[in-house]
Amino acid sequence: MKIDEQFELIHFHDASIDSVSRDDGDLVLNISGAFLSSNHPQSNGKDWSIEKAELRFEYVSEEVAKFWDDTKAPKPHPEPEFPLDEIMEVKYENGYYMFSGFKNTVPWSEWYIKSAYFIFNISAANEYSS
């Protein structure tokens, strides 16, 4: 299943970033544990628990990675090429996809990605039933 619209209706809370790669100006995240709501127009009217997916940001023009080790101000991330592996929050604002969460459980990290658009290719998912 390919998702390429309404990023805000894809739920990444507690999802994992299993790997990160860069390819000719694109940024590729391999994701597990996401959720796609039946409210999304490309969900075929069903809720989906996503086991494996590739989140591709095409034509990335900027990436900024920061981390917090105190409550005063963020610092440049020591591993900017793979700044977090557990996603807690995601949003899209002012042309930036913003991820926040943890890398190896600590500290709090933030990752800002400016991209022309995204493609979320789901390779393994199960219909979710509560």
Side-chain angles (χ1 to χ4, degrees):
M1 181 182 320
K2 178 180 165 185
I3 308 297
D4 59 4
E5 62 179 285
Q6 294 192 328
F7 185 79
E8 68 281 358
L9 293 179
I10 306 169
H11 304 279
F12 293 99
H13 182 76
D14 282 337
S16 296
I17 301 175
D18 301 317
S19 66
V20 176
S21 62
R22 288 161 179 81
D23 178 34
D24 198 28
D26 295 348
L27 175 64
V28 180
L29 312 179
N30 287 299
I31 305 276
S32 57
F35 179 79
L36 183 67
S37 168
S38 60
N39 294 336
H40 195 287
Q42 294 174 306
S43 72
N44 298 321
K46 299 175 182 177
D47 290 329
W48 295 97
S49 177
I50 300 164
E51 293 176 27
K52 287 183 154 251
E54 176 188 273
L55 178 56
R56 176 178 289 270
F57 295 102
E58 299 202 341
Y59 305 105
V60 173
S61 59
E62 184 179 3
E63 276 185 75
V64 177
K66 300 177 180 183
F67 81 104
W68 296 78
D69 63 357
D70 59 29
T71 59
K72 296 177 184 169
K75 297 176 178 154
H77 202 288
E79 296 179 62
E81 66 285 343
F82 194 163
L84 56 98
D85 57 14
E86 183 181 352
I87 303 169
M88 298 307 291
E89 299 174 327
V90 175
K91 58 185 169 180
Y92 179 75
E93 276 184 4
N94 302 319
Y96 286 89
Y97 298 91
M98 298 180 289
F99 292 80
S100 55
F102 304 100
K103 175 74 180 231
N104 300 320
T105 68
V106 287
W108 187 255
S109 298
E110 298 172 341
W111 194 4
Y112 301 85
I113 302 163
K114 188 167 191 170
S115 170
Y117 58 92
F118 78 96
I119 300 171
F120 192 52
N121 287 308
I122 301 169
S123 56
N126 295 308
E127 188 174 346
Y128 182 82
S129 59
S130 53

